[in-house]
Amino acid sequence: MVKDILASHEERMKKSIEALKHEFASLRAGRATPSLLDKVMVNYYGAPTPVNQIAKVTVPEPRMIMIQPWEKSILHDIEVAIMKSDLGLSPNSDGTAIRLSIPALTQERRQELVKTVNKKTEEAKVALRNIRRDGNEDIKKLEKAKEITEDESKRGQESMQKLVDKYVKLADAAKEVKEKEVMEV
């Protein structure tokens, strides 16, 4: 029973780390990656749709993203969505494709990004601690219902703490990688 609780809560912790890494992928670090456009939604036949589902997104050069829509009629809609996004990029269209030049980051912008990375990491750690709290409550309920002994409850809570420690380290490792990427010149 305790193992089931630990397994289900570990799965939630894995998802928290995956979500953190996904957040990091959408942060602009001076290098072009298709994932920068993950949060850009285009109004496509009345439904908000991610750019990568209505266009081919490629990176022909380290500081350029090229977007080739499947339908030429939505080229303007994609441009508008990019301009409205918080990416701070200006799309250049040649009538068939959109090119996004990724400018080099200023030192000030790098520091802002590092703060954002730290904030996202802290949010992930809070989520991990909330999962630990939920797991510990589930274990204590089993103990109150006399389904497990006090010793099993203690061991279960210690195992839950070890899981949290493991995933906090993973979050910190992801943060360090992203900070290094952001601070590269």
Side-chain angles (χ1 to χ4, degrees), residues 116-127:
T116 303
V117 166
N118 287 329
K119 182 177 167 231
K120 299 282 183 203
T121 304
E122 194 51 45
E123 288 170 3
K125 287 179 181 179
V126 167

Side-chain angles (χ1 to χ4, degrees), residues 16-99:
S16 291
I17 297 299
E18 286 170 18
L20 176 67
K21 288 179 179 176
H22 185 72
E23 284 282 336
F24 285 171
S26 66
L27 285 177
R28 185 161 71 91
R31 197 180 302 149
T33 64
S35 59
L36 282 177
L37 300 173
D38 284 355
K39 292 183 180 175
V40 177
M41 297 295 196
V42 179
N43 188 6
Y44 184 60
Y45 292 106
T49 310
V51 171
N52 63 1
Q53 291 182 14
I54 56 173
K56 178 181 168 189
V57 180
T58 57
V59 180
E61 299 170 27
R63 292 196 183 271
M64 180 171 292
I65 297 175
M66 188 170 210
I67 305 163
Q68 295 170 301
W70 308 132
E71 299 174 30
K72 303 280 184 266
S73 62
I74 57 171
L75 194 70
H76 179 72
D77 295 335
I78 294 172
E79 282 184 89
V80 170
I82 291 169
M83 285 190 270
K84 286 182 179 177
S85 74
D86 63 351
L87 292 175
L89 299 174
S90 299
N92 292 328
S93 173
D94 63 7
T96 58
I98 298 170
R99 287 178 180 73

